[in-house]
Amino acid sequence: MPVPKVPSRQEARKKADTLEDIRQLLAAQRPACFMWFSRLLERGAPFLLHSDLVESFDAFCDSEEGAGLKDTPLRKLVHAAQEAVLLNEQIYLAVRTGVGVWRYFLFDVGEMDCRALDAGEFLQATERRVEQDQAPDARVLELDLSPFDRGLPRLRDPRSIGKGVEFLNRHLSNDIFEDTATGDERLFRFLSLHQVDGRHLMINQRIKGVQDLQEALSEADTLLARQGGDATWDTVELALNQLGFEAGWGRAVTRIRETMGLLSDILEAPEPKALAEFLSRLPMIFNIVILSPHGYFGQAGVLGMPDTGGQVVYILDQVRALEREMKRTIHEQGLDIEPQLLIVTRLIPEAQGTTCDQHIEAVTGTEHTHILRIPFRTATGEIVPHWISRFKIWPYLERFAAEVELEIRAQMSGRVDFVIGNYSDGNLVATLLSERLGVTQCNIAHALEKTKYLHSALYWQDHEAEHHFSCQFTADLIAMNTADFIITSTYQEVAGTADSVGQYESYGCFTLPGLYRVLKGIDVFDPKFNIVSPGVNEEVFFPYSASDRRIADIRLAAEELVYGDPGEAARGQLQEREKPIIFTMARLDPVKNVRGLLEWYAGNKDLQAKANLLIAGGYVNPERSRDAAERDQIERMHRVLDEHDLAGCVRWVDMQTDKNRVGELYRLVADTRGVFVQPALFEAFGLTVLEAMATGLPTFATCYGGPLEIIEHGKSGFHIDPNHGAAVADTLCVFFEQCDQDSDHWMTLSQGGIDRVHERYTWSLYAQRLLTLSRIYGFWKHISGIRREATRRYLEMFYQLMYKPRAAEVE
């Protein structure tokens, strides 16, 4: 929970007024307030969540005793509260009045009084509730990054969260170029630094300063205006060299003139939009390192292995798109340089039949992208041969990062332009590397474990033996605050919704009782956050209606999966093939809630009569799974199937890892006029949602997480609440009934999903956006002095004194 910003006088007065309103209500409605507070305390729970508080308060207001509390300041406060701590006769509330804006209150039930708290006081109360025997004045390490934020630009409007680069470019452009001469000089020095393999780019030493540059640009424009439309850099190179220009402005004369024109405009009258466009054209990014240490990272046979799933698919599609875009832009810049991309992961000697024991592996579909694998080593230097859970890799990462640095310097001839971290472990390694290499760092969380497990920070010690959250949350804080920019797939990852806290927002203010408390960890108004949504592989996930692209052999294999005989890898056999199919595909993780969907279906006879259910997930045979949580889900699903006798209308097959077959599965379900359902309790993004929509399959997906933004409800799919499964089953029934009554209904939703993906979620758009961000953040990092040196030093101490000792204890 984040700490509030320093309030203005107006905000402080408003807070005081609110507190006085509450106190007056406590006096005026003392019996009713006392009765409701007492009922909360009688529940005996140490903590209550937002839903608990709202349901309890609204139910009380509907009673005769509580009717007087309706439409009061207390109701507003309760509906904004995200959590309550119940301690003796005191109730502490954490109230989220807006995105990233929090207030804390203490209600003393005995005295019937209320007072405001600061974040530290609230966290101390939380700690006392977790550790009842802890002395109230016990001292604990506090982490507070707010002093380092002073003087740095910050967003104000929550609607701007996720658009950090636009804000930063606008703010710093005005700041840097306020003194035009100073700003122009900084820009000139930045351009003067551009080299590759010892060769100057953009400008050479003939241009000595800003005035020389302006004069040379004017002469170049006159020269280029006389060239024909088909002229290229080779035609004008000698003349432009004499003026002081080198390659990098463009390959075609038209492009060269546009780029030089943008710079001339900036030097004449700086404007943020022109600056952003100019920076997006600069030849800055040639060599990229992508870090993803955990799991089995390979191109085949790895999906479904422990800790291996959508992240692998994401990165492989990402690098293919990045290489294509880099080749395109480098060509347009007029350069003949081959980009290099390295996916750096862990080498696993006991590779389980995969290629994860290969040091170097070329990525198919690319020319200049490779997977580089570096082993984990013990403290004495021996290679660790076996897979290690992502929760237990923390002791190996520092040495891993050091070996990675040596390898990539050799592979990339000492030059790295951009580092991208993935997940908590990859982001920490990116932090260690980017500081040593002096390059721009981008972080991608994919998912933050802190929000997956209820009260994971408060009860971290209960999770420590298995999950080692103390290491992970510490690594997250360090990497988040050292990254030059962070990309997320959705707005909600950063800032949540009106009723829910964002994943990053949850790192703003929290405590690990007995270890440390965070008063200011991450600020969602930091302009480092940018939304860059991934796409789908359009060669694989294309519409069902593109019959000429569908391969007969793959289609037959998909049909066998759906309608074949039962066996070790399949349970159930669909008896009525004319029915539409409800399809879901996910890991058998409790959060993915596949078992929940099966239970909803089992409990609704009408839905069983209207549609079959197809599940692709985990292993049908629990003995094949090496993951305890997955085995538990498998066994529970078998019990549901046994209890409800669903063998004729439910087909359950092992998780599918062949992407071509998966694409055809979506299309085969679409042929039946079926639907895709994503029932997760929470989904950070929802790649399967995009895949299903891209193939034309109407999609119903959780309203918690990324799908809420991906799907336009009623137009390109539907949002569902996984906490109300019976209602979801009824919704599916209604949909199939509408399809029976209106033959166009299914087609409308199908086309809506296809259109939505093509407009917003393609890898081409993703690559363009990410590379532009890398250039703009790299520019401002250099020219403005925003290097966060003080923050880095503070976090280096935190790394040495907190992270390393915790990591050393992991077994």
Side-chain angles (χ1 to χ4, degrees), residues 196-197 199 201 251 284-288 322-331 333-342 366-370 411-413 415 417:
V196 60
D197 297 330
R199 170 192 172 193
L201 298 176
R251 185 169 298 272
M284 294 171 59
I285 308 297
F286 304 103
N287 295 340
I288 300 179
L322 285 173
E323 183 184 289
R324 286 194 299 270
E325 181 62 18
M326 290 170 73
K327 289 168 66 176
R328 184 189 69 80
T329 56
I330 291 171
H331 179 81
Q333 289 159 353
L335 302 174
D336 297 313
I337 298 171
E338 294 180 346
Q340 290 189 73
L341 296 93
L342 283 179
T366 71
E367 298 178 66
H368 312 293
T369 303
H370 294 79
Q411 293 286 336
M412 294 182 159
S413 302
R415 178 190 175 97
D417 302 308

Side-chain angles (χ1 to χ4, degrees), residues 266-429:
I266 293 165
L267 295 174
E268 181 67 28
E271 196 273 321
K273 187 175 181 180
L275 181 62
E277 175 63 22
F278 176 70
L279 294 175
S280 71
R281 295 171 175 235
L282 291 185
M284 294 171 59
I285 308 297
F286 304 103
N287 295 340
I288 300 179
V289 172
I290 299 98
L291 295 150
S292 182
H294 76 256
Y296 290 81
F297 199 106
Q299 300 179 78
V302 298
L303 296 182
M305 302 285 276
D307 290 342
T308 309
Q311 180 180 325
V312 173
V313 177
Y314 179 110
I315 294 173
L316 289 172
D317 285 341
Q318 174 197 53
V319 295
R320 293 186 181 104
L322 285 173
E323 183 184 289
R324 286 194 299 270
E325 181 62 18
M326 290 170 73
K327 289 168 66 176
R328 184 189 69 80
T329 56
I330 291 171
H331 179 81
E332 284 188 352
Q333 289 159 353
L335 302 174
D336 297 313
I337 298 171
E338 294 180 346
Q340 290 189 73
L341 296 93
L342 283 179
I343 302 170
V344 181
T345 188
R346 182 198 164 199
L347 184 144
I348 308 176
E350 296 176 3
Q352 304 294 320
T354 71
T355 58
C356 295
D357 56 352
Q358 293 183 15
H359 180 52
I360 292 281
E361 180 183 356
V363 175
T364 57
T366 71
E367 298 178 66
H368 312 293
T369 303
H370 294 79
I371 301 170
L372 171 66
R373 298 187 179 90
I374 308 296
F376 285 171
R377 295 183 185 272
T378 65
T380 54
E382 291 89 358
I383 292 176
V384 179
H386 52 275
W387 165 81
I388 298 174
S389 164
R390 71 183 188 276
F391 296 117
K392 298 187 177 183
I393 65 175
W394 306 108
Y396 305 99
L397 295 182
E398 185 172 306
R399 184 163 186 162
F400 175 79
E403 290 196 36
V404 167
E405 181 185 351
L406 295 175
E407 285 277 358
I408 62 178
R409 284 187 185 276
Q411 293 286 336
M412 294 182 159
S413 302
R415 178 190 175 97
V416 179
D417 302 308
F418 184 31
V419 172
I420 304 172
N422 290 274
Y423 199 70
S424 299
D425 49 305
N427 290 332
L428 183 65
V429 176

Side-chain angles (χ1 to χ4, degrees), residues 150-162:
R150 293 167 189 164
L152 295 178
R154 283 293 182 272
L155 303 169
R156 294 184 178 181
D157 188 342
R159 293 173 298 179
S160 296
I161 293 173

